[in-house]
Amino acid sequence: MGLTYRSSGFGTNRTDFFRGSSTKADFVVALAGNPNTGKSTVFNALTGLKQHTGNWPGKTVLRAEGRYIYRGMVFKLVDLPGTYSLLAGSVEEQVAKDFLCFGKPDATVVVVDATCLERNLNLALQVLEITPRVVICVNLVDEARRKKIHLDIKSLAEELGVPAVATAARDGHGLDRLVSAVADVASGRIRTSPCVVRYSGAIEEAVLKIEPRIRELVGSEFSSRWLALRLLDGDRAVISAVNRWLAREEKAGRVTGGEILA
Amino acid sequence: MSRAPLAAGLEELIREVERVRPIVARDFNDQVVGHIYARAESIARKVVSQKERPKIDWDKRLDDILTSRMFGFPSMILLISAVFWITLAGANYPSELLAALLFRGQEYLADLCLRLNVPWWAKGFFVDGVYRCVTWVVSVMLPPMAIFFPCFTLLEDMGYLPRVAFNLDRLFKKAGAHGKQSLTMSMGFGCNAAGIIACRIIESPRERLIAILTNNFVPCNGRFPTLIVLAGLMVLGASGSPAATLVVAGMVIFGIGMTLAVSWVLSKTLLKGVPSSFTLELPPYRRPQVGRIVIRSVFDRTLFVLGRAVCVAAPAGGLTWILANVYAGGLSLLGHAAAWLNPFGKLLGMDGFILVAFLLGFPANEIVLPILIMSYLATGSMTRLDSLESLHMLFVVEHGWTWLTAVCMMLFSLLHYPCGTTLWTIRRESGSVKWTALSFLIPLGIACFVCFLAARSAVLLGLA
């Protein structure tokens, strides 16, 4: 966070910056992206909140939430910490990963920097492994144009199998198309077909062995492929998160896929 | 529904994972990352095309200067000094105007009290205590803040902060701390509590603690005006001049140096270990959005910080008035406290009143100077105070300040314990009473030591 009246002085000790979650949202939208891609600018432009945006990486340490209304529906937007990857295990990554998987957002916007797309796509591909309901927001296209970089947004969308929108969030360009794409994905009007990264033979075999068991346990709630990969990676945090989720589900008395099959 | 089948299912799953893992465990992560990177590369190749490279890469040109070994530090000092100079030069006039205006208000209020037959203690408490302290906070704090924050935000918005971090990274590494500490330190310039929160970006607990413990050595919003006013006082007549700028810039650089030194000592003693490395990405420079910056920094920072200062100043002003007007044995309580602390204060190059002001200013550093002014006024003969000149009169003529007093107070303000809010934040972030106590005691010890050293050596050298 930058220095806003919310984030300095006493305000720092509030756990959630933009609380007010008492009103129900129709859809929850997560906002992910590399540091310094203008994520917070997109967040502000959509929610009208004046979260301070600063031009330095690692600014959003905490999770910020805001909401906006589109086509008469309330969207809750959750700004996740900027990360380059979801595979290394820092605190920020853990927060982002946890929310993307167990927060079950209805849609996830991955903000990527048009001036260095390749590096940003790493994160996008990792997010696609967790959740299929993704919209790619190719931000800073004005910077890219200045640097004479041309991007074929349509073919990017085809390659990734999810909608992609070009934006220049600082000037508000392309945001209308972004919210429309988000609404379509969140409400299920657009069904995405995200691309899947295939790994080497041994890994794929191992995944094949584990994935059915995961599906038995958690049903189709989460991406069983991603969970399988994380378990194979020995990610303890994911195991305990699954455990917590199972306990919660049970308390709520919901029938999980596991019970139906058992 | 029982817990058993699910728990059993999970256990079975984990057993299965353990069976399968050995086959793939070796460089699993590397393989996964490798595949993802390859895919990203192939997609990018299809999507991105760059016809012609721009002739001049301005970002790189600028970085070659601003982050070079030779010009990195000089340009940094130059930029920071420029910001201070603009603040000092610009703040003086509006400050006096505000003071004059608000003090006319005080006279009017006093008049009103007289006409309404308000009892003397009520008039004293509200007008001479609460109102006066608040007006001092406003007239002393508002102008420097209104100028300093937009300037600082401008640098931040253009993308200069990561360059500062880049320049300082090497030094922090040498001090055995994490390079990201330069970023959390920069946050501390805005607000130490925010800087402490920002320490979350440092993963290693050891380095995070170092960053937390040393964050208060950079002056925050609340202490900048104190430094600026005192510097202006030191070189009166030429305030806004390069001399005052140099003093403030020197203080800030000294604070950064102290941050590094204490980090080094901590990493060699209490928090031993090797610094972990990280990659810092230098974001592109961006054209700053001047209009938005001005508006945001005024509303988000200036008015907020001012609001908080006023909230603390009002009760503190009242309290100071009570302390100055309740007598015990021919001397006010304030006088007693100041007299009691005076020998210690003198030892540190200051006096008892200054120490009392620091103690009363514990909730928020913004009010230290206003409280000091109030307690001086309450005990002295001067009643009107509406300009920097009269402030000079009050401090120098009536209370025997020298340049050394100002320097020592600046040093103490720069180095002393973090404010109440920050300490509370440290307690929450570190989760430990011990480290919170240390983050209070270490700066306090250093502040006392440095002030003592400065005062003694100045006297011994015959400079003061």
Side-chain angles (χ1 to χ4, degrees), chain A residues 13 36 62 119 170 250, chain B residues 2 49 200 281 283 287 428:
Chain A
N13 288 292
N36 223 59
L62 298 168
R119 194 185 49 197
R170 266 160 70 107
E250 215 159 38
Chain B
S2 65
S49 54
R200 288 181 185 177
E281 183 197 10
R287 184 171 35 86
R428 243 197 41 159

Side-chain angles (χ1 to χ4, degrees), chain A residues 47-80:
Chain A
T47 59
L49 280 173
K50 302 294 184 283
Q51 189 194 354
H52 175 76
T53 56
N55 190 1
W56 53 285
K59 186 183 56 62
T60 311
V61 189
L62 298 168
R63 214 177 69 189
E65 292 180 14
R67 55 192 67 233
Y68 66 91
I69 296 171
Y70 182 69
R71 291 187 199 149
M73 293 172 290
V74 181
F75 291 81
K76 184 166 100 174
L77 195 61
V78 179
D79 193 8
L80 301 174

Side-chain angles (χ1 to χ4, degrees), chain A residues 1 5 9 13 36 52 56 62 84 119 122 147 150 152 159 170 198 200 206 213 232 243 250, chain B residues 2-3 12 21 31 35 40 46-47 49-50 156 187 191 200 281 283 287 300 304 308 425 428:
Chain A
M1 303 287 294
Y5 65 94
N13 288 292
N36 223 59
H52 175 76
W56 53 285
L62 298 168
Y84 293 105
R119 194 185 49 197
N122 294 324
K147 291 189 174 169
H150 178 78
D152 186 350
E159 286 288 330
R170 266 160 70 107
R198 295 275 163 211
S200 62
R213 287 188 185 273
L232 286 171
N243 206 4
E250 215 159 38
Chain B
S2 65
R3 179 92 178 95
E12 204 178 310
R21 260 191 81 189
Q31 282 208 37
H35 274 82
K46 279 181 207 156
V47 175
S49 54
Q50 189 165 20
E156 188 187 343
M187 279 296 271
C191 164
R200 288 181 185 177
E281 183 197 10
R287 184 171 35 86
D300 259 355
F304 167 67
R308 188 182 56 189
T425 310
R428 243 197 41 159

Side-chain angles (χ1 to χ4, degrees), chain B residues 61-399:
Chain B
R61 283 277 172 97
L62 217 56
D63 273 340
D64 282 345
I65 301 170
L66 291 179
T67 62
S68 71
R69 265 172 187 259
M70 219 167 133
F71 298 111
F73 280 99
S75 60
M76 199 162 76
I77 291 168
L78 212 69
L79 267 173
I80 291 176
S81 302
V83 169
F84 290 142
W85 183 77
I86 294 171
T87 309
L88 275 159
N92 202 21
Y93 181 68
S95 207
E96 293 197 357
L97 207 70
L98 265 175
L101 201 75
L102 289 167
F103 279 92
R104 204 161 309 148
Q106 187 186 335
E107 276 160 28
Y108 176 78
L109 277 177
D111 240 31
L112 196 72
C113 288
L114 205 66
R115 237 177 295 157
L116 293 178
N117 276 327
V118 177
W120 70 270
W121 53 267
K123 181 229 163 215
F125 181 81
F126 287 107
V127 179
D128 297 335
V130 176
Y131 180 84
R132 190 188 267 172
C133 196
V134 168
T135 45
W136 267 106
V137 167
V138 172
S139 60
V140 170
M141 303 275 303
L142 184 60
M145 280 197 300
I147 299 169
F148 177 74
F149 287 170
C151 289
F152 191 76
T153 317
L154 209 72
L155 284 182
E156 188 187 343
D157 199 50
M158 287 189 316
Y160 187 62
L161 273 188
R163 272 82 192 177
V164 172
F166 184 87
N167 284 336
L168 292 174
D169 173 48
R170 225 172 335 127
L171 295 181
F172 276 104
K173 280 272 168 55
K174 272 197 190 132
H178 198 289
K180 278 188 196 169
Q181 195 179 331
S182 49
L183 280 175
T184 63
M185 189 188 74
S186 306
M187 279 296 271
F189 279 114
C191 164
N192 290 135
I196 303 288
I197 295 276
C199 290
R200 288 181 185 177
I201 63 175
I202 300 171
E203 282 105 50
S204 124
R206 179 188 80 88
E207 288 154 347
R208 215 177 114 193
L209 267 175
I210 293 181
I212 288 177
L213 288 175
T214 55
N215 193 274
N216 93 306
F217 292 130
V218 290
C220 64
N221 288 331
R223 288 182 282 163
F224 258 122
T226 308
L227 294 183
I228 287 172
V229 171
L230 287 178
L233 202 67
M234 259 176 73
V235 285
L236 190 77
S239 90
S241 73
T245 306
L246 279 181
V247 172
V248 178
M251 281 292 160
V252 170
I253 291 165
F254 182 72
I256 295 174
M258 194 50 90
T259 306
L260 287 165
V262 175
S263 298
W264 184 79
V265 171
L266 282 174
S267 77
K268 292 280 170 289
T269 54
L270 280 177
L271 294 160
K272 263 186 212 149
V274 278
S276 47
S277 60
F278 81 114
T279 45
L280 177 74
E281 183 197 10
L282 293 181
Y285 290 99
R286 286 183 190 142
R287 184 171 35 86
Q289 299 167 295
V290 178
R292 203 175 297 176
I293 286 172
V294 171
I295 291 168
R296 285 266 60 83
S297 54
V298 166
F299 282 98
D300 259 355
R301 297 194 185 181
T302 311
L303 289 186
F304 167 67
V305 174
L306 191 70
R308 188 182 56 189
V310 167
C311 286
V312 186
L319 181 68
T320 312
W321 185 85
I322 291 176
L323 289 179
N325 285 278
V326 173
Y327 285 82
L331 195 60
S332 67
L333 294 181
L334 188 71
H336 275 300
W340 188 67
L341 283 170
N342 203 43
F344 188 55
K346 285 278 180 247
L347 210 61
L348 303 182
M350 296 177 280
D351 64 26
F353 285 106
I354 301 176
L355 290 189
V356 171
F358 274 117
L359 284 177
L360 288 174
F362 175 69
N365 285 305
E366 290 90 330
I367 58 171
V368 169
L369 201 58
I371 288 181
L372 178 64
I373 294 170
M374 279 196 54
S375 34
Y376 273 172
L377 282 179
T379 48
S381 55
M382 205 154 113
T383 51
R384 264 184 68 94
L385 196 64
D386 49 14
S387 68
L388 207 58
E389 277 80 26
S390 51
L391 197 62
H392 187 257
M393 273 286 288
L394 178 73
F395 280 9
V396 175
V397 179
E398 287 207 5
H399 287 88

